Amino acid sequence: MEGKDIFQRFPTHDEEEAIECLTQCLERRIDAEIIVASWRESVVSEDETLAASIKYWLDQNHSPASLEDITMVVRDYHLPIPVSGREELFEKSFDRFVKEMGVPSSRQRCLEGCRQKLKKVWERVDRRKEKLVRQAMPVEEIGMDTFISAVEDEEAEEVWLPAFSGETFRTRLRGPLESQLLRGHKIRILIYGADLMESFEPQMGEEKIKEEIRKMRDFVEEIREELPEFAHNLQLRLLPARAMKLGYFSGLLTFRRVEGTEKLQPKIYRVNVHEKPGMRGTQGVMIWGEGNTTLFHILQYYFEQAWKEAIPIEEYGLPAKF
């Protein structure tokens, strides 16, 4: 069975079958490898940039091609050729692919024989693209269940939660958070400090704001007391008003760890898009997806900067009761 992420190794079983078939048509295996690897990269890449990306994949397969050789093949075949395995687009994609290959008519029949093998690879390419931004729709249509499933995902070894409003958070997520801690996984929760919440959600009023912060503090302390050996893996910080510009990401980031290391590997992101922080979460649009994408890294950097500015709950100076 192939891995869950086709971009973790090259070639996959389907890609290898496509490479072997194309090799018979193009004569040189390295050309076939470069063509198939190009479908893992952006259609807007410049020749040299695309060649460098392709070399990364070929190196995994111990292919001997140099950067110069790859660049030449990229130019000869006008790579990358946009493709799709969807039923309504496949025939057009395949016809374009055959044309771009520029092979003599005597070899076009050979390419026809690769049709189904290419379709399998292109279908996987389509699915991968769909995962980059899986949903962009009203939050209420996605629902809380998708959020919970992302939080409790067993493969999510680190969970970051910029959860700036805590009512639903506390009632629905306690179980999933405790399950993650019992696995030895780490959790970071980021909420607004009182002064920032007053700026972003003035309709709440001072007493309600204080009550919300106290409830989140108590929520975290109760879990820590129940699971003392994992208490250090659950962290809560409050973002102060001086860091207001870092208070616009509410949602979720999850990571898995690279085996044998502490290095984090992106898994799932979820970000709520709305007009301004005072707008409730269900009135916005939720964007979510998977994988090592540019958007994930933007959100990761933003959260990291906010986390640096935020104050640990232990240092926030709250009295036992407001």
Side-chain angles (χ1 to χ4, degrees), residues 242-272:
R242 68 170 186 269
M244 178 181 293
K245 291 183 178 180
L246 297 171
Y248 296 102
F249 169 29
S250 62
L252 165 145
L253 294 173
T254 68
F255 304 80
R256 60 168 68 93
R257 293 191 181 279
V258 178
E259 189 173 353
T261 74
E262 288 298 306
K263 185 177 180 181
L264 295 176
Q265 181 178 357
K267 195 170 190 306
I268 294 174
Y269 68 85
R270 176 176 169 130
V271 56
N272 188 26

Side-chain angles (χ1 to χ4, degrees), residues 15-27:
E15 287 173 330
E16 177 60 33
E17 287 195 339
I19 289 169
E20 290 179 0
C21 191
L22 289 175
T23 299
Q24 297 175 27
C25 307
L26 305 176
E27 296 185 347

Side-chain angles (χ1 to χ4, degrees), residues 1-30:
M1 181 178 179
E2 293 186 13
K4 292 183 179 180
D5 190 340
I6 67 169
F7 281 11
Q8 294 305 305
R9 59 186 177 85
F10 180 84
T12 63
H13 174 73
D14 289 343
E15 287 173 330
E16 177 60 33
E17 287 195 339
I19 289 169
E20 290 179 0
C21 191
L22 289 175
T23 299
Q24 297 175 27
C25 307
L26 305 176
E27 296 185 347
R28 295 204 319 163
R29 177 181 170 89
I30 192 62

Side-chain angles (χ1 to χ4, degrees), residues 137-140 142 162 248-252 269-277 279-288 299:
M137 58 194 296
V139 177
E140 63 270 19
I142 297 178
Y248 296 102
F249 169 29
S250 62
L252 165 145
Y269 68 85
R270 176 176 169 130
V271 56
N272 188 26
V273 181
H274 47 64
E275 291 181 4
K276 54 193 296 188
M279 203 172 166
R280 304 307 293 169
T282 54
Q283 295 174 286
V285 173
M286 186 65 67
I287 298 174
W288 67 302
L299 295 173

Side-chain angles (χ1 to χ4, degrees), residues 119-158:
K119 190 172 190 297
K120 281 186 178 181
V121 174
W122 295 354
E123 286 172 346
R124 296 293 293 272
V125 171
D126 288 336
R127 288 197 292 272
R128 180 65 189 185
K129 288 177 181 177
E130 289 168 358
K131 288 170 66 177
L132 295 182
V133 177
R134 181 179 291 173
Q135 300 279 3
M137 58 194 296
V139 177
E140 63 270 19
E141 293 184 26
I142 297 178
M144 187 68 175
D145 290 342
T146 61
F147 184 71
I148 294 173
S149 65
V151 172
E152 65 185 0
D153 178 8
E154 292 184 10
E155 294 184 355
E157 296 176 82
E158 193 148 330

Side-chain angles (χ1 to χ4, degrees), residues 52 177 257 312 316:
L177 292 181
R257 293 191 181 279
Y316 198 70

